[in-house]
Amino acid sequence: MLDVIVIGAGPAGVVAALRAADLGANTALITRDEFGGMAANDGPVPVRTLAHAARLIREARQLGLYGIAVSDPVLEYNRLLTRVREVVTDVRAHSVFRGQIDSLGVAVHERAGAARFAGPHSIETDSGLRLQAEKIIICTGGVSRRLTVPGFELTATHSDAWALTSVPSSILVIGGGATGVQVASIFNAFGSQVQLFQSGPRILPTEDEDVSAAVAAAFRESGIAVREDFGDIEAFEKTPTGRRMIFSKDGVRSSAEAALAVVAVGWIANTAGMNLAAAGVEIDHRGFVRVDAYLRTSAKNIFAAGDITGRLMLVPQAIQDGFAAATNAVRGVTMTLGDQVSPIGSFTDPEYAQVGMTEAKARETRDVLTAVVRFNSTTRTIIDGRTAGLCKLIVDRETYRILGCHVVGERAVEIIQVAAIAIAAGMRVDDLAQVPFSFPTYTGILGRVAASAARQLNLKLTWQAHQVEMENEVSYKKP
Ligand SMILES: Cc1cc2nc3c(=O)[nH]c(=O)nc-3n(C[C@H](O)[C@H](O)[C@H](O)COP(=O)(O)OP(=O)(O)OC[C@H]3O[C@@H](n4cnc5c(N)ncnc54)[C@H](O)[C@@H]3O)c2cc1C
């Protein structure tokens, strides 16, 4: 019998196997597909590559503004997909994890078919592999949620969208969460006519309301038809040229058509066919594997990590989960993750990113102050012709600590990393205002917005902070 079996070789599973083996456990890693999981093969890496292509197109369109004459960019989608495959292969080949896993002697069973429980200590796979271990760590990630409406099989997922051989002339994207907006933004840049349908009142419902509004406005300006609160889907149908979605609102039936319909209405746990009941592993009301603070499931010898637990479904969190779950599986339950500062962002056009609380969430429990600096008032964005966007800071009026930061616009995801460090360090807003950020940079907007908040709070600032705020006087108003 092995010490540890890890099921799933995404970021959570790979780090769990690595950590278990590093602690001396005789470990096996079983995965249905390729090493690397969603992150390397179907999520961030391929999507970022496509998003980079979308960025290059919009940058190429700016050349004329700077006196550089070229013809309009033309996308050869097949060549782009070749590039995506190259990048995925390259990233996988450079994975530091693979070498470490091999050198620590983990038995890796790649492309082993789907694994399922045959008992609390036993795993079997579609390929006929049977293994037993004292401890098992489930890291099988998530899958797109399916809808139970007629014709759903006519729709595509985000993965199908990346696998197309040509850019569709038009797309219906159903779902305005993180995945849906990425599909909408990328294919809009590639020239598809995009309609984005969101069942709730705003796209990106987990973002700060100002961010949702700014992204929706920018999407509309760039030609995406954003349709919030569109009603209930009744069915999908085939048309001579593509797909039709029939939906109704307040008793009124409507329809929308396009060459392709992509549904991105949520991400659910990948537990189907795993026979969790045979091991006594319970799921919660959303279908995710229920875990305690130590990532231990309802079966005492079985742990879970990553998307399968339904918490923050992102690569850094999956990695931390994998580390903690393996530590607890091998050493006994000692390690919890607690509250963490988790910057989140997406590489849409415009980019958006957040760290900490939204304004609405912060107001539930605290007396807060907000400050906003718009991109069109900072020097670097004017230089680069990227003036759409904003940076918003949420500050606790009692402690002056930064509770949240939200950015929409060029380099938003990079800007938010610095805000995350400030929050993780427990910085007061006047401390952030006094950091002499390089000029002219995108991140410099943090100094501006912090100085603005500090002034509203009547906090004393040094000359540096004054200088930062006055760097561009367009938006500077004396209190
Ligand atoms: C379009 C898209 C874009 C994203 N962009 C980002 C981003 O920019 N930044 C970010 O941080 N996160 C992003 N994510 C989320 C990120 O990909 C996930 O949070 C992360 O991959 C979760 O890691 P995981 O190890 O839990 O699961 P996964 O990466 O999903 O890995 C699961 C593994 O389990 C295996 N498996 C599944 N079922 C079985 C079974 N029955 N038996 C054996 N093996 C099985 C699979 O083959 C796979 O190897 C994105 C996701 C999507 C869909």
Side-chain angles (χ1 to χ4, degrees), residues 7-14 30-45 47-48 113-116 125 139-142 158 162 179 182-183 267 270 272-274 305-308 312-319 345-347:
I7 315 173
V14 166
I30 306 176
T31 195
R32 187 191 55 200
D33 310 303
E34 309 280 335
F35 189 89
M38 166 70 61
N41 302 300
D42 188 34
V45 174
V47 177
R48 284 320 132 245
R116 61 192 161 271
T125 71
C139 306
T140 50
H158 71 276
W162 314 142
T179 300
Q182 285 179 75
V183 174
W267 198 240
N270 189 9
M274 287 196 69
D307 281 10
I308 192 81
L312 260 188
M313 294 191 267
L314 293 165
V315 170
Q317 285 69 25
I319 287 174
S346 186
F347 303 84

Side-chain angles (χ1 to χ4, degrees), residues 389-474:
L390 61 90
C391 177
K392 174 175 175 178
L393 211 57
I394 297 148
V395 183
D396 190 317
R397 278 185 187 272
E398 266 177 41
T399 62
Y400 309 133
R401 302 233 181 264
I402 303 158
L403 300 175
C405 183
H406 303 269
V407 185
V408 181
E410 190 74 3
R411 315 276 166 103
V413 183
E414 304 297 337
I415 296 169
I416 216 70
Q417 307 306 313
V418 177
I421 293 170
I423 293 178
M427 276 176 99
R428 282 171 44 138
V429 69
D430 46 335
D431 292 331
L432 180 61
Q434 285 163 148
V435 174
F437 288 99
S438 299
F439 170 84
T441 55
Y442 285 91
T443 310
I445 199 167
L446 284 176
R448 290 273 305 279
V449 76
S452 167
R455 287 177 164 284
Q456 291 181 61
L457 290 163
N458 290 321
L459 296 170
K460 241 181 155 30
L461 298 176
T462 66
W463 67 272
Q464 279 169 339
H466 286 273
Q467 193 185 11
V468 168
E469 193 170 1
M470 291 172 72
E471 166 232 297
N472 184 318
E473 293 183 12
V474 179

Side-chain angles (χ1 to χ4, degrees), residues 10-16 97 305-306 314-325 337:
V14 166
V15 171
F97 291 140
L314 293 165
V315 170
Q317 285 69 25
I319 287 174
Q320 288 179 330
D321 271 14
F323 188 89
L337 292 173

